[in-house]
């Protein structure tokens, strides 16, 4: 009985282009909100620790820069193959790809002592504090 009802609904839904793309457009608009780099920032007396979720991003596709008290994180996630049928039909795709960037203003940081580590899809950047002004433009290597 439930299969019969589902088949009727599917035939009705597939008869109109509006319904064909409804699920995809709904989930894609929701998914666009998920594209920011989610992060936590912890401050101690000696340092800032920034943790950024970056699942599926290869370490070689992450770039960090510190300039004028601003940490900038750029990342790229390559495309993936979906599980669509030969006509390109897929119910929903929540995995995203593309380029991402986020900046964090963190004052009194010793730019030359910043360290970064990428493990299990989480980028951890440690930014030691300083009270003196130093050169404020540094590229940061990721371990």
């Amino acid at each position: 009985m439930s299969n019969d009802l589902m088949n009727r609904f599917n035939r009705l839904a597939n008869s109109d282009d509006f319904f064909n793309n409804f699920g995809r457009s709904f989930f894609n608009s929701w998914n666009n909100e998920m594209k920011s780099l989610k992060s936590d920032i912890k401050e101690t007396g000696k340092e800032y620790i920034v943790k950024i979720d970056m699942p599926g991003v290869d370490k070689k596709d992450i770039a960090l820069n510190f300039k004028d008290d601003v940490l900038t994180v750029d990342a790229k996630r390559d495309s993936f193959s979906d599980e669509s049928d030969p006509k390109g039909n897929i119910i929903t795709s929540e995995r995203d790809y593309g380029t991402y960037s986020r900046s964090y203003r963190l004052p009194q940081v010793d730019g030359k002592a910043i360290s970064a580590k990428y493990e299990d899809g989480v980028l951890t950047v440690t930014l030691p504090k300083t009270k003196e002004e130093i050169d404020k433009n540094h590229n940061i290597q990721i371990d």
Side-chain angles (χ1 to χ4, degrees):
M1 176 75 173
S2 65
N3 283 342
D4 185 44
L5 288 174
M6 197 61 168
N7 288 338
R8 285 185 207 175
F9 175 77
N10 287 338
R11 278 193 303 272
L12 174 64
N14 290 331
S15 66
D16 187 339
D17 284 338
F18 173 77
F19 288 107
N20 277 344
N21 293 317
F22 179 74
R24 184 177 297 187
S25 63
F26 172 78
F27 284 106
N28 283 345
S29 65
W30 174 75
N31 192 34
N32 286 337
E33 294 176 15
M34 303 292 288
K35 287 190 176 186
S36 65
L37 299 172
K38 305 292 183 188
S39 58
D40 296 329
I41 302 174
K42 177 182 175 182
E43 180 180 10
T44 69
K46 296 180 179 183
E47 64 192 5
Y48 297 99
I49 300 171
V50 180
K51 292 189 176 192
I52 308 165
D53 285 343
M54 306 176 87
V57 176
D58 196 337
K59 183 174 93 170
K60 69 176 177 50
D61 294 326
I62 303 171
L64 299 175
N65 183 272
F66 188 77
K67 180 179 181 181
D68 297 328
D69 294 334
V70 176
L71 172 67
T72 302
V73 180
D74 295 307
K76 178 181 80 167
R77 181 174 178 196
D78 289 327
S79 63
F80 52 88
S81 63
D82 61 27
E83 298 296 324
S84 60
D85 64 17
K87 293 182 180 179
N89 295 322
I90 187 167
I91 293 174
T92 186
S93 179
E94 295 178 351
R95 299 176 298 157
D96 55 343
Y97 59 91
T99 57
Y100 309 89
S101 184
R102 182 132 186 224
S103 296
Y104 308 84
R105 180 166 297 285
L106 302 165
Q108 296 179 319
V109 169
D110 180 356
K112 292 182 180 180
I114 297 172
S115 63
K117 182 179 180 180
Y118 185 62
E119 187 173 58
D120 297 329
V122 177
L123 176 66
T124 303
V125 184
T126 304
L127 303 101
K129 291 182 179 180
T130 185
K131 295 203 187 287
E132 42 184 273
E133 289 292 318
I134 348 180
D135 183 13
K136 296 184 177 187
N137 185 16
H138 302 285
N139 288 318
I140 304 153
Q141 296 291 72
I142 302 171
D143 295 331

